[in-house]
């Protein structure tokens, strides 16, 4: 059995030398995705191509949809504190779903639907859908109105053991 003094010394020495505090690698800024003219189906691209990325500037979290070897994958990323050492943070990646097909709007490539096709040919229980919403509100105490656009992302995953639905809202200018 370890003595409390020995354990305390290990914790103090570990904190002095920064044991367990590895800085998570940062993602490089992504280039803008290209619109595929006159089609709604996304063409097979290179593994790692980003179809959609939405950033939250306040906390650095983001959601992205990327091309994989077997189709497409959506994931959310968030900077979280290490539960064992509050001085350390790391990037937590949560897979929202894996899809066999994605379709983009020809009007705006940020508006898309991704879904999984099951072996029997039916649409699966895993879907990602984005919606552009324009909001108009009146300024309190005045007669001015303010309009802005948001992109809502609904990630539905009804596979066993998964969170059935996650929703994200981003300003349109934070999505590419």
């Amino acid at each position: 059995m370890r003595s409390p003094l020995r354990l305390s010394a290990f914790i103090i020495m570990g904190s002095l030398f920064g044991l367990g505090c590895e800085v998570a690698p940062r993602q490089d800024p992504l280039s803008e995705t290209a619109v595929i003219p006159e089609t709604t189906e996304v063409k097979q691209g290179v593994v790692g191509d980003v179809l959609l990325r939405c950033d939250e500037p306040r906390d650095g979290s983001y959601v992205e949809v990327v091309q994989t070897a077997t189709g497409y994958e959506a994931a959310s990323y968030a900077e979280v504190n290490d539960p064992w050492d509050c001085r350390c943070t790391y990037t937590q990646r949560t897979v929202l779903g894996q899809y066999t097909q994605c379709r983009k709007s020809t009007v705006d490539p940020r508006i898309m639907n991704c879904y999984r096709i099951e072996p029997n040919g039916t649409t699966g229980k895993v879907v990602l859908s984005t919606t552009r919403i324009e909001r108009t509100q009146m300024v309190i105490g005045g007669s001015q109105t303010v309009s802005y656009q948001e992109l809502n992302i609904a990630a539905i995953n009804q596979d066993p053991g998964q969170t059935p639905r996650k929703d994200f809202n981003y300003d349109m200018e934070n999505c590419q």
Side-chain angles (χ1 to χ4, degrees):
M1 184 170 158
R2 287 189 170 167
S3 69
L5 184 59
R6 238 170 121 186
L7 184 60
S8 298
F10 177 75
I11 292 172
I12 291 171
M13 292 303 289
S15 65
L16 289 175
F17 292 116
L19 295 177
C21 289
E22 293 182 23
V23 177
R26 299 297 285 186
Q27 298 287 332
D28 291 332
L30 300 171
S31 61
E32 199 170 298
T33 57
V35 176
I36 301 169
E38 300 179 14
T39 183
T40 57
E41 188 173 345
V42 176
K43 301 292 181 192
Q44 249 344 66
V46 178
V47 172
D49 279 355
V50 177
L51 301 176
L52 174 71
R53 178 174 166 143
C54 293
D55 293 290
E56 180 56 62
R58 289 178 281 192
D59 63 5
S61 65
Y62 61 96
V63 170
E64 70 179 5
V65 179
V66 297
Q67 178 86 42
T68 65
T70 58
Y72 308 91
E73 181 177 85
S76 65
Y77 297 82
E79 192 85 10
V80 295
N81 288 329
D82 186 341
W84 300 104
D85 187 352
C86 61
R87 295 169 299 147
C88 296
T89 61
Y90 63 95
T91 302
Q92 181 180 29
R93 180 178 187 269
T94 305
V95 175
L96 302 173
Q98 295 174 334
Y99 317 101
T100 52
Q101 289 191 1
C102 280
R103 297 188 180 271
K104 287 185 175 187
S105 167
T106 55
V107 176
D108 186 344
R110 297 171 289 191
I111 300 169
M112 62 191 318
N113 286 320
C114 296
Y115 47 92
R116 184 172 67 198
I117 302 294
E118 298 297 332
N120 63 5
T122 62
T123 302
K125 303 175 193 176
V126 182
V127 176
L128 178 110
S129 180
T130 65
T131 308
R132 181 176 60 194
I133 297 175
E134 184 166 344
R135 298 186 185 272
T136 304
Q137 67 186 58
M138 185 172 276
V139 176
I140 296 175
S143 60
Q144 265 184 317
T145 59
V146 177
S147 295
Y148 57 96
Q149 291 185 352
E150 292 180 338
L151 188 71
N152 291 349
I153 302 172
I156 301 164
N157 190 343
Q158 295 178 340
D159 281 338
Q162 299 294 321
T163 304
R165 181 176 177 139
K166 289 191 177 196
D167 292 291
F168 303 90
N169 295 321
Y170 293 96
D171 289 335
M172 284 300 282
E173 62 266 5
N174 294 334
C175 293
Q176 51 184 328

